[in-house]
Amino acid sequence: MAVLLLPVLLAGRVLSLVAATVLGKVPAVVGPGVVGRHGAHRTDRYGRAGRTHARRDGPDGLGLGTVKILVLGSGGREHAIIRALQLDPEVQEVHAAPGNAGIALDVPVHAVDATDVTGVTVLAGELNADLVVVGPEAPLAAGVSDALRQAGFTVFGPSKAAAELEASKSFAKDVMAQAGVPTAAAHTCSTVAEAETALDAFGAPYVVKDDGLAAGKGVVVTSDRAEALEHARSCFDVNGTVVIEEFLDGPEVSLFVISDGTNAVPLVPAQDFKRIGNGDAGPNTGGMGAYTPLDWLPDGFVDEVMEAVARPVIATMADRGTPFAGVLYCGLALTSRGLRVIEFNVRFGDPETQAVLARLRTPFGRFLMDAATGCLAGLQELDWSDEYAVDVVVAAAGYPESPLKGGTLAGVAEADALEDVSVLHAGTAQADDGGLVASGGRVLAVVGLGEDLAAARARAYAGVDLISLEGSQHRTDIGLKAERGEITLPEGEAR
């Protein structure tokens, strides 16, 4: 009966509670939660503090109205997206699935795994969501966005076919070659012998990347050939192939580009810190902090990325019959030989999103809806705060290899209450006594805003200092080199 009912119910985009019960997919709302510092308040149908909204006409004379948005994911990136959406006066309600303990303080959360295609589609129908925002890479690779679109929902996030830009590094290399995009020379290897040949061809430092999804931790950069080869072996056991690349010198930059499949709009560049320890020591992580803006970038940098990288890739994806609509995350290096692409992701990056969205003043719900509906062509320039933003990740003991879960968190509310400081949750859960415990490797990101980089860093670290978690770890040098003016571009060919 459930199988017969599902297509009919989804086609109408309406699922009654009775039907959802029959399907065995009744979404669980976890709470209570409050909107807190974000906007004027009212009480919504969940009995929580919400915001009052007024219809606002857009440039085409048609207002977005008041919309309901479902955000999929459970990390700090999703918490940052939700906070930004709450600031848009046209966004009536925001829901999250599955969310985390911090997200549950802001919006209703639902116990549905973001990669559960059927569960997510049923939930979107029960909520009658106007827009579904897919946060992490795993649901995109699983085809969640495709299923939602087939069911009639408006979705921000690329199709499964387009998401191959992140799901397969060798696919991304093929696209870049077709588009004429500058990137590192690379070999795709499927055997140890091939990996040894590639390592010897490029020499140290060695760069070995898992060809599949690895949550930001599938890359090893080392001068130790044995370590590089061992990482290749471990990747063969999981995904079967690795990509071995030439090493790119120069500082790295992240730039998010929002595309509707044809048009593209850049956000502001940010720099993240991938290794666990100060001075970029230790293994790679999902990211230990980020900051924006980057005063040391050359003039015209964003324009160069758009013309040399983003627009050619988006055009090539359209030519291939897999148009890219969503976030094209461009991981870039400014090398002695010019701009080079390190990698693409197909979603907002974490932790860069926490810093970037803290400065965005353009209504975020309208922006994402325009991208999801092919309407970016008429978008005016985005509005950004002049402030600097720094976010510092607080990670659990043992991260990234074996993070210790279950530790008690204290001081989070006090940190979040500081002026120009926000605490965004990633790996948190609610304890039996109502408190917070760590449930993942990266637990929190503390965001500070300031009139300059020094002030933003000071506020972020003031928040970190108030938070206690036994054995926790964080870097103390996020944005420090930039504050001191110590970042230099390598000499070489003109960009």
Side-chain angles (χ1 to χ4, degrees):
M1 179 177 179
V3 174
L4 294 175
L5 275 175
L6 184 57
V8 177
L9 291 169
L10 294 181
R13 294 188 54 184
V14 177
L15 283 175
S16 67
L17 184 59
V18 173
T21 303
V22 171
L23 292 166
K25 295 289 183 179
V26 182
V29 178
V30 181
V34 295
V35 171
R37 298 183 288 172
H38 304 282
H41 295 80
R42 63 177 173 82
T43 302
D44 67 13
R45 66 190 179 95
Y46 289 90
R48 325 174 167 238
R51 292 178 297 134
T52 349
H53 306 274
R55 185 182 180 91
R56 176 172 56 79
D57 285 343
D60 56 0
L62 299 174
L64 180 61
T66 55
V67 299
K68 186 183 298 182
I69 299 178
L70 171 61
V71 177
L72 302 181
S74 60
R77 163 187 46 234
E78 287 75 42
H79 201 179
I81 290 169
I82 287 166
R83 287 273 179 96
L85 289 171
Q86 288 184 300
L87 295 174
D88 187 336
E90 293 179 302
V91 176
Q92 179 188 29
E93 286 183 31
V94 182
H95 293 251
N100 58 44
I103 291 174
L105 296 175
D106 286 352
V107 301
V109 300
H110 305 265
V112 175
D113 191 295
T115 61
D116 180 354
V117 175
T118 301
V120 165
T121 310
V122 169
L123 174 61
E126 196 275 334
L127 294 174
N128 196 24
D130 299 293
L131 175 66
V132 181
V133 178
V134 185
E137 60 272 28
L140 295 169
V144 168
S145 61
D146 302 76
L148 287 165
R149 288 191 179 98
Q150 290 168 7
F153 294 98
T154 301
V155 182
F156 180 80
S159 65
K160 180 178 181 179
E164 281 291 289
L165 277 174
E166 178 172 0
S168 170
K169 292 176 178 61
S170 56
F171 174 85
K173 289 290 186 182
D174 289 343
V175 171
M176 283 188 274
Q178 183 178 341
V181 168
T183 186
H187 293 297
T188 300
C189 307
S190 56
T191 67
V192 171
E194 290 175 349
E196 288 179 325
T197 299
L199 291 173
D200 292 340
F202 288 128
Y206 305 103
V207 181
V208 183
K209 298 182 177 181
D210 192 329
D211 193 24
L213 296 177
K217 298 187 287 289
V219 180
V220 164
V221 180
T222 178
S223 295
D224 186 333
R225 186 179 182 280
E227 181 185 0
L229 191 59
E230 180 57 34
H231 181 64
R233 286 194 179 97
S234 68
C235 293
F236 292 147
D237 293 339
V238 177
N239 285 315
T241 57
V242 297
V243 174
I244 295 178
E245 296 183 349
E246 65 172 327
F247 176 75
L248 298 177
D249 59 348
E252 296 183 12
V253 178
S254 301
L255 181 67
F256 304 149
V257 177
I258 310 301
S259 172
D260 62 5
T262 303
N263 306 289
V265 177
L267 302 191
V268 292
Q271 186 175 56
D272 77 326
F273 295 75
K274 294 181 176 64
R275 292 186 181 269
I276 188 67
N278 286 350
D280 296 326
N284 271 350
T285 71
M288 294 299 293
Y291 71 96
T292 181
L294 312 183
D295 293 335
W296 47 267
L297 282 176
D299 293 340
F301 172 80
V302 172
D303 291 338
E304 180 184 2
V305 175
M306 295 301 291
E307 294 307 313
V309 177
R311 291 193 179 100
V313 166
I314 290 167
T316 297
M317 292 294 286
D319 290 343
R320 284 172 164 242
T322 52
F324 186 92
V327 183
L328 180 64
Y329 170 126
C330 303
L332 308 158
L334 281 73
T335 78
S336 56
R337 294 181 293 115
L339 177 70
R340 295 291 186 272
V341 173
I342 301 170
E343 65 177 354
F344 290 128
N345 293 332
V346 297
R347 35 71 189 182
F348 285 108
D350 188 337
E352 297 99 322
T353 302
Q354 291 88 315
V356 169
L357 292 187
R359 298 181 54 226
L360 182 65
R361 296 295 176 262
T362 297
F364 195 47
R366 176 71 184 235
F367 184 31
L368 297 187
M369 182 68 82
D370 284 348
T373 55
C375 297
L376 285 180
L379 181 69
Q380 298 178 355
E381 188 174 346
L382 298 178
D383 183 20
W384 297 95
S385 164
D386 292 333
E387 294 173 298
Y388 289 70
V390 174
D391 72 79
V392 179
V393 169
V394 176
Y399 178 76
E401 292 91 351
S402 302
L404 181 64
K405 301 178 182 180
T408 300
L409 282 158
V412 176
E414 291 79 1
D416 201 35
L418 292 176
E419 183 178 1
D420 291 324
V421 173
S422 297
V423 179
L424 300 172
H425 292 236
T428 64
Q430 191 175 56
D432 293 338
D433 62 1
L436 292 172
V437 295
S439 63
R442 291 186 297 173
V443 181
L444 302 164
V446 182
V447 185
L449 289 170
E451 63 276 11
D452 55 30
L453 192 54
R457 291 188 71 253
R459 288 181 177 132
Y461 281 108
V464 171
D465 289 343
L466 290 176
I467 296 170
S468 65
L469 171 64
E470 185 176 358
S472 68
Q473 46 187 333
H474 67 271
R475 287 183 60 158
T476 61
D477 63 348
I478 304 299
L480 183 59
K481 284 186 176 180
E483 178 189 333
R484 293 174 173 172
E486 296 175 353
I487 297 181
T488 57
L489 301 179
E491 296 181 1
E493 298 178 4
R495 274 172 288 279

